Amino acid sequence: MSTDERHRPAASRPRRVDVARLAGVSPATVSFVLNQTTGQTISDETRQRVLQAVAELGYRPNRAAQGLRQGRSATIGFVNHDADFGVFAAASIKGAHEACMRQGNLLLLVNTGGSNRQAAQLIVDLLDRQTDALIFAAVGTRSVVLPDAARRVPTILLNCFAPHDPAPAILPDEVRGGREAAQALLDLGHRDIAYLTGSASLWATKARLRGFREALRGAGLDPREHAVLSGNYHADSGYELVRKLLRRGPRPTAIMCGNDRMAVGALLGLLEAGIRVPEDVSVMGYDDQFQLAAEIRPALSTVRLPYDVMGRLAAEQLAAGGSAVHTGRTLVHCPLVMRDSTAAPAGARTRA
Amino acid sequence: MSTDERHRPAASRPRRVDVARLAGVSPATVSFVLNQTTGQTISDETRQRVLQAVAELGYRPNRAAQGLRQGRSATIGFVNHDADFGVFAAASIKGAHEACMRQGNLLLLVNTGGSNRQAAQLIVDLLDRQTDALIFAAVGTRSVVLPDAARRVPTILLNCFAPHDPAPAILPDEVRGGREAAQALLDLGHRDIAYLTGSASLWATKARLRGFREALRGAGLDPREHAVLSGNYHADSGYELVRKLLRRGPRPTAIMCGNDRMAVGALLGLLEAGIRVPEDVSVMGYDDQFQLAAEIRPALSTVRLPYDVMGRLAAEQLAAGGSAVHTGRTLVHCPLVMRDSTAAPAGARTRA
DNA sequence: TTGAAAGCGCTAACAT
DNA sequence: ATGTTAGCGCTTTCAA
């Protein structure tokens, strides 16, 4: 077996020299044509010969080799820093992936399981592979510690923030989301709105609650007179809380829920008690969860948590250039989505 | 600026020669130590010096360079061949990711949006990056056309099959899942079970229905006497179908649903009609969907679609060696998960 | 307008 | 027991 063959398994892809040979030019010329190298003038005829050879052989440059040479890999690392890896992570990834497609990048995905140690290790693994940039994402919006290793490449925080780190962050505008949800209910004529919140300690919970209160005050109402029960974002907590609410006394005309899953639980609890939605009480969710909010009956009025948009934004900002990355926090709007679980209260109809 | 500096930006990572210099050995020796190259005997003292230098500098081999040299990249391509990128894709990815962690591999993730053209292109993009193997995954189990390019590397089909392709496939055992779900209901004493199926044309739908019928026949019942209404796997179709079922005549004592989302819809429709679950009628889901089945009230009895296990299996089989990949189809068991939405029918209690 | 040649950081066969 | 050296496939300066 000749030396030539030993290094070229039969099934392997064509290399640049194969193209050069076929086109009757030097390997360098092939690079010049393919990369449209500036400052290199290639005759039109040569370019055609090269392109034809490329097409004929089905040649594609080896990106590992390109990467080694150029120190970049056309790959972005996506670090999912959360215990779970569910529908919201999927949405951000989907958005980031879309943007990457347009840029010719690919996503190298890792999941830390929520451990900082794992996160640090995985970022190193990513960097070992020449990842050009990093998206560090959490699902429950929260404060994180960005591993030092991440400093080596442009990094953007998705749905989380690192207090003592200059890395830019992309976050949903939860205050406004909470405010607009409450405002929509107020606009329908509701004056007695209960709020079944998610886990009280979370950033998103507090922000949404703040928006809720702002809206009430804006309508001249006293937030202290409105029931606020705290749950944990799971469907069963919506169910339990609504039962508690019903036992407690006069029924509000509308119920805002921490998220769509809690709203589903609330819906179930309400129906079980013989209370109709939205005729007897309006229910408002949050998240616009894929395959849930729009599909249940009644279809849920909610606020869309735009994880896909945020993922896309992250990848776009990263591609826009490491240093040109928008610094500080970017707040992304969470648009209101009105469906069938909300309506004017019975009283308002009488009044009208 | 000296030549030396021009090629070594201040912030760049240490290279192998830096370690070699610090340890007072040749670069090759560093490789030998780090890779535990067989057939090379390194004195214990030298090994220690090298390892210490590695630790001191925080040296990590550049995998792009290793990859270029070895023709492998410690990276597996995960192709999500579906329009959606949701909770089930997330589950398979999570499983595959877990297995990859143990192997020292990372996942390069792409999403085809369900287009064959895109799939072909993306696989080429993956291969350009020296991906060692491919997981080609669909969410709705179905027949796919595996792009030719995939032939270059070991490929495993996840939740799909390519009729004229030798690539091994990992699939859920839906027939058995459907059978066991129905059997559980029969065991509780139900004799009149309706089935609200998912989209009639899908492989999974047919398989589950077949299992359902097998179980009925096994119990000496005639499947033709049992209502089978077909929907589309969305929650609203469960809702609509249950209303249709109630209008139609005598109510069955149990309802099997195409999936958990349909079961949620059915639950909503049932409650709305004043029918209690499981007291008046039992409801059985399918999928054991994350953050849904276990959380709603009543918690849903269902069959677990083990996408995480399947993802893990795929990555493991791939790592077990390209050629040693288990050929043909691997059926993965879908275990029954009994919760609170099922109970013995009222009649059976009397009889007992 | 094109080609030669020096690496990018590493592995592994071969030499010492 | 360790070092030398020839690439892996590509980009890019410099020379022709």
Side-chain angles (χ1 to χ4, degrees), chain A residues 169-213:
Chain A
I170 296 183
L171 299 161
D173 191 346
E174 306 275 18
V175 176
R176 181 169 167 197
R179 190 171 52 223
E180 293 189 356
Q183 191 59 53
L185 258 11
L186 290 166
D187 288 348
L188 282 169
H190 294 278
R191 285 299 173 270
D192 187 2
I193 309 175
Y195 193 177
L196 313 183
T197 77
S199 317
S201 61
L202 297 186
W203 184 83
T205 312
K206 293 179 203 160
R208 290 171 197 176
L209 185 55
R210 195 172 129 207
F212 170 71
R213 289 182 168 139

Side-chain angles (χ1 to χ4, degrees), chain B residues 7 16 31 35 59 61-62 65-66 69:
Chain B
H7 290 294
R16 193 185 50 156
S31 287
N35 305 337
Y59 170 75
N62 178 326
Q66 282 186 323
R69 181 59 228 245

Side-chain angles (χ1 to χ4, degrees), chain A residues 271-344:
Chain A
L271 285 180
E272 194 185 272
I275 297 168
R276 293 163 310 163
V277 176
E279 293 82 353
D280 302 327
V281 53
S282 286
V283 169
M284 172 74 74
Y286 204 106
D287 285 358
D288 194 22
Q289 187 173 332
F290 181 58
Q291 293 185 338
L292 182 67
E295 288 184 13
I296 60 166
R297 287 298 173 265
L300 211 53
S301 292
T302 188
V303 176
R304 182 166 165 66
L305 204 42
Y307 278 149
D308 50 351
V309 174
M310 292 163 58
R312 185 161 48 64
L313 232 51
E316 280 169 0
Q317 291 195 8
L318 247 18
S323 48
V325 160
H326 189 289
T327 182
R329 298 187 183 178
T330 305
L331 286 186
V332 181
H333 180 45
C334 302
L336 188 67
V337 181
M338 293 301 275
R339 297 204 180 90
D340 310 325
S341 65
T342 48

Side-chain angles (χ1 to χ4, degrees), chain B residues 151-217:
Chain B
R151 303 252 160 72
R152 291 200 161 291
V153 294
T155 298
I156 204 155
L157 298 169
L158 188 57
N159 206 28
C160 56
F161 39 87
H164 305 300
D165 219 283
I170 297 183
L171 298 162
D173 191 346
E174 306 274 18
V175 176
R176 181 169 166 198
R179 188 171 54 225
E180 293 190 355
Q183 191 59 53
L185 259 10
L186 291 166
D187 289 347
L188 282 169
H190 294 278
R191 284 299 172 271
D192 187 3
I193 308 175
Y195 194 179
L196 313 183
T197 77
S199 317
S201 61
L202 298 185
W203 184 82
T205 311
K206 293 181 204 159
R208 292 171 196 176
L209 185 57
R210 195 174 128 205
F212 170 73
R213 289 182 168 139
E214 283 179 14
L216 290 184
R217 273 194 296 269

Side-chain angles (χ1 to χ4, degrees), chain A residues 16 31-32 59 62 66 69:
Chain A
R16 193 185 49 155
S31 286
F32 294 148
Y59 170 75
N62 177 325
Q66 283 185 324
R69 182 57 226 246

